[in-house]
Structures are given as structure tokens and as C-alpha cells.
């Protein structure tokens, strides 16, 4: 009987380890992007092919045209309230590079696949 309890505990520990590993692999990497009167910081985000990434845009000033972020190839357009992060999660294709801009197209950034 004691052996069965030990075996069950070991099996549960192994299952939890695999579940945590799978969750960690599925979780998107977060990249914080500050938006100010000069543009995006960082302006280039490097990703692996097929990676899921969360871009967290935070506008830090009312000056400039950073009130909106657009990812044209994905038909994404989000308003950026002042001092509040807006998250956009996406998966990048094997040979895909994406651009993001402000609503007027003056600020430019890119997601580059390495």
C-alpha cells in the first residue's frame, strides 16, 4: 500500500513538471515598447520563427502622433491611452517581418524574424 502512495506521488510530480514546462513554452514573450514624441523604444523587436509575442505599448506623452498604433499587415489598430500599457499578442510566421506605425505613419517600428 505504501509503495502505491509513493508511486502516485512520483507520478503526480512528473505530471506537474511536464504541465509547467508545456505552459512555459506556450506563454508569449512580452516586450515593453515606450511611445514618446520621438517614436517607439525599442523600434525593432527581434523574434524567432513561429514565436508568439506580446507587444505592450505604453504612450508616455501627449506630444507627437503616438496616440494610435497600427500593424497594417494584420489589420490591427489600437488606441494608446496615456501611461497605460496596451497589449497586442501575435504569432510571427517563419519568414514574416511586420511593421508597426502610428496612425499617421510617421513613427515606424518593426518585428524582425531572425
Amino acid at each position: 500500500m505504501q509503495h502505491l502512495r509513493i508511486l502516485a506521488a512520483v507520478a503526480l510530480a512528473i505530471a506537474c513538471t511536464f504541465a509547467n514546462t508545456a505552459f512555459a513554452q506556450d506563454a508569449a514573450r512580452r516586450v515593453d515598447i515606450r511611445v514618446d514624441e520621438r517614436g517607439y523604444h525599442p523600434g525593432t523587436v527581434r523574434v524567432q520563427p513561429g514565436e508568439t509575442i506580446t507587444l505592450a505599448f505604453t504612450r508616455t506623452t501627449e506630444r507627437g502622433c503616438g496616440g494610435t498604433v497600427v500593424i497594417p499587415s494584420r489589420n490591427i489598430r489600437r488606441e494608446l491611452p496615456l501611461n497605460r500599457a496596451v497589449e497586442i499578442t501575435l504569432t510571427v510566421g517563419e519568414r514574416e517581418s511586420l511593421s508597426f506605425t502610428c496612425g499617421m505613419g510617421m513613427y515606424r517600428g518593426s518585428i524582425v524574424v531572425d
Side-chain angles (χ1 to χ4, degrees):
M1 187 68 148
Q2 183 68 17
H3 291 348
L4 290 177
R5 286 185 184 159
I6 293 172
L7 186 59
V10 170
L12 181 61
I14 291 170
C16 289
T17 300
F18 283 118
N20 287 338
T21 301
F23 177 76
Q25 289 173 347
D26 291 341
R29 177 170 58 106
R30 178 184 165 113
V31 176
D32 293 310
I33 300 174
R34 189 179 82 250
V35 185
D36 63 20
E37 66 274 2
R38 289 175 286 177
Y40 300 109
H41 310 281
T44 301
V45 178
R46 298 199 174 279
V47 298
Q48 297 299 312
E51 182 177 357
T52 298
I53 189 163
T54 297
L55 304 174
F57 293 90
T58 302
R59 182 168 61 115
T60 60
T61 182
E62 291 182 344
R63 296 184 356 203
C65 65
T68 303
V69 64
V70 180
I71 304 176
S73 65
R74 296 290 179 95
N75 295 317
I76 295 172
R77 181 181 191 89
R78 299 283 192 286
E79 297 300 316
L80 300 179
L82 194 59
N83 296 318
R84 196 171 82 205
V86 173
E87 294 183 351
I88 299 173
T89 300
L90 46 92
T91 301
V92 180
E94 294 292 320
R95 296 182 181 202
E96 181 179 29
S97 290
L98 303 170
S99 66
F100 51 90
T101 69
C102 66
M104 298 174 63
M106 297 176 68
Y107 296 169
R108 295 183 180 276
S110 61
I111 302 166
V112 178
V113 178
D114 284 333

